[in-house]
């Protein structure tokens, strides 16, 4: 069964909640967009010098990363993740900074040697693969972020392009507990059980005891709903895209 368009009114509680959820994450995506712009400008400057970028060049991003990390209300980690082969001196690289439990800003230090590290190939993870494959921004998770924090997290990401090619992703982490604190009161205010899912159907937050955060919702084409930006109905479910961000509000039709 396909998704059929459904009429909506600006005053619908579902539409209002979807817009509020979009607003909660839009500030995080604004930080990601800033990182994307800074990185693209840096790569352009290096290319204009007639050379490939190296990991040391990415240090120029740090002041902006630190600023966004300190001032982002939901943000727990930020950075640029290079596409394999982008840098001249290393096969893979994360220029990543995060806030510790004490509030201090610290770098993420990883061993990315493919002979020793289980994390050397990050290209299959949704936060990298979705922006690379779709050319659009994405919300990945929630998942236990063993790479950065060991916290249940969401990662918001956007592709970075340089001279027409994919160069990597700009991204920001949001702890799930912080995201749930922002959106669960909205979901609980709806007349029936409701949940938020990403483009792959992964539940990002839920006020529906039958569908817990991290579980999968199968069946609807959530990516198609996000692409059209229009509400739809699928097999008794109402699907309302959250304005501006790649999440869908799911509740009974």
């Amino acid at each position: 069964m396909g998704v059929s368009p459904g009429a909506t009114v600006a005053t619908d509680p579902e539409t209002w909640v979807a817009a509020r959820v979009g607003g909660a994450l839009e500030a995080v995506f604004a930080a990601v967009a800033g990182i994307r712009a800074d990185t693209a400008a840096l790569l352009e400057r290096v290319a204009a010098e007639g050379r490939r970028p190296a990991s040391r060049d990415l240090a120029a991003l740090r002041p902006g990363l630190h600023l966004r990390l300190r001032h982002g209300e939901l943000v727990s980690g930020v950075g640029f993740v290079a596409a394999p082969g982008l840098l001249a001196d290393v096969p893979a690289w994360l220029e990543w900074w995060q806030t510790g439990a004490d509030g201090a800003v610290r770098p993420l230090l990883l061993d990315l040697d493919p002979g020793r590290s289980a994390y050397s190939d990050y290209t299959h993870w949704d936060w990298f693969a979705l922006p690379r494959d779709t050319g659009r921004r994405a919300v990945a998770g929630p998942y236990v972020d063993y790479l950065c924090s060991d916290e249940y997290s969401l990662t918001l990401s956007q592709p970075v392009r340089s001279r027409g090619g994919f160069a990597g992703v700009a991204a920001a982490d949001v702890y799930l507990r912080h995201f749930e604190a922002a959106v669960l009161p909205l979901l609980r205010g709806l007349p029936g059980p409701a949940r938020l899912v990403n483009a792959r159907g992964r539940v990002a937050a839920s006020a529906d005891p039958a569908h817990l955060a991290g579980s999968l919702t199968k069946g609807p084409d959530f990516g198609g709903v996000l692409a059209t930006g229009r509400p739809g109905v699928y097999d008794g479910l109402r699907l309302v895209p959250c304005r501006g961000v790649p999440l869908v509000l799911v509740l009974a039709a």
Side-chain angles (χ1 to χ4, degrees), residues 32-79:
V32 173
I35 297 165
R36 179 193 193 189
D38 289 351
T39 306
L42 171 64
L43 296 177
E44 179 61 29
R45 290 196 299 271
V46 171
E49 295 172 6
R51 61 182 180 89
R52 288 175 61 195
S55 57
R56 65 181 179 275
D57 292 311
L58 300 182
L61 299 175
R62 292 173 188 174
L65 296 177
H66 295 182
L67 184 66
R68 293 180 177 96
L69 192 53
R70 289 192 178 99
H71 295 286
E73 186 175 348
L74 291 176
V75 175
S76 59
V78 293

Side-chain angles (χ1 to χ4, degrees), residues 3-4 28 93 197 237 245:
V3 175
S4 60
V28 181
W93 189 263
V197 307
L237 296 176
V245 302

Side-chain angles (χ1 to χ4, degrees), residues 144-169:
V144 179
D145 189 1
Y146 294 114
L147 188 67
C148 297
S149 64
D150 290 333
E151 284 259 6
Y152 216 34
S153 301
L154 300 171
T155 300
L156 285 64
S157 55
Q158 192 168 10
V160 176
R161 298 187 67 80
S162 177
R163 303 233 159 172
F166 174 74
V169 301

Side-chain angles (χ1 to χ4, degrees), residues 2-226:
V3 175
S4 60
T8 186
V9 198
T11 54
D12 283 352
E14 298 92 345
T15 304
W16 182 83
V17 166
R20 291 291 300 274
V21 170
L25 284 185
E26 194 56 57
V28 181
F29 268 122
V32 173
I35 297 165
R36 179 193 193 189
D38 289 351
T39 306
L42 171 64
L43 296 177
E44 179 61 29
R45 290 196 299 271
V46 171
E49 295 172 6
R51 61 182 180 89
R52 288 175 61 195
S55 57
R56 65 181 179 275
D57 292 311
L58 300 182
L61 299 175
R62 292 173 188 174
L65 296 177
H66 295 182
L67 184 66
R68 293 180 177 96
L69 192 53
R70 289 192 178 99
H71 295 286
E73 186 175 348
L74 291 176
V75 175
S76 59
V78 293
F80 168 67
V81 184
L86 175 75
L87 303 176
D89 58 332
V90 289
W93 189 263
L94 287 85
E95 184 62 43
W96 195 265
W97 292 76
Q98 54 197 20
T99 305
D102 59 357
V105 174
R106 297 187 176 92
L108 175 67
L109 302 175
L110 287 177
D111 179 4
L112 293 176
D113 185 329
R116 296 191 303 263
S117 173
Y119 303 119
S120 60
D121 182 11
Y122 43 70
T123 61
H124 62 285
W125 293 3
D126 277 356
W127 51 261
F128 191 93
L130 279 170
R132 178 196 62 200
D133 296 345
T134 67
R136 297 190 296 269
R137 58 188 189 173
V139 174
Y143 62 99
V144 179
D145 189 1
Y146 294 114
L147 188 67
C148 297
S149 64
D150 290 333
E151 284 259 6
Y152 216 34
S153 301
L154 300 171
T155 300
L156 285 64
S157 55
Q158 192 168 10
V160 176
R161 298 187 67 80
S162 177
R163 303 233 159 172
F166 174 74
V169 301
D173 282 343
V174 174
Y175 291 153
L176 184 64
R177 53 190 166 88
H178 294 160
F179 179 62
E180 287 182 325
V183 302
L184 280 181
L186 299 171
L187 299 182
R188 289 171 178 151
L190 291 169
R195 59 195 184 274
L196 295 164
V197 307
N198 68 12
R200 295 201 192 278
R202 183 76 61 185
V203 178
S206 178
D208 183 347
H211 298 275
L212 301 180
S215 63
L216 277 173
T217 299
K218 298 182 179 179
D221 178 10
F222 296 111
V225 172
L226 291 170

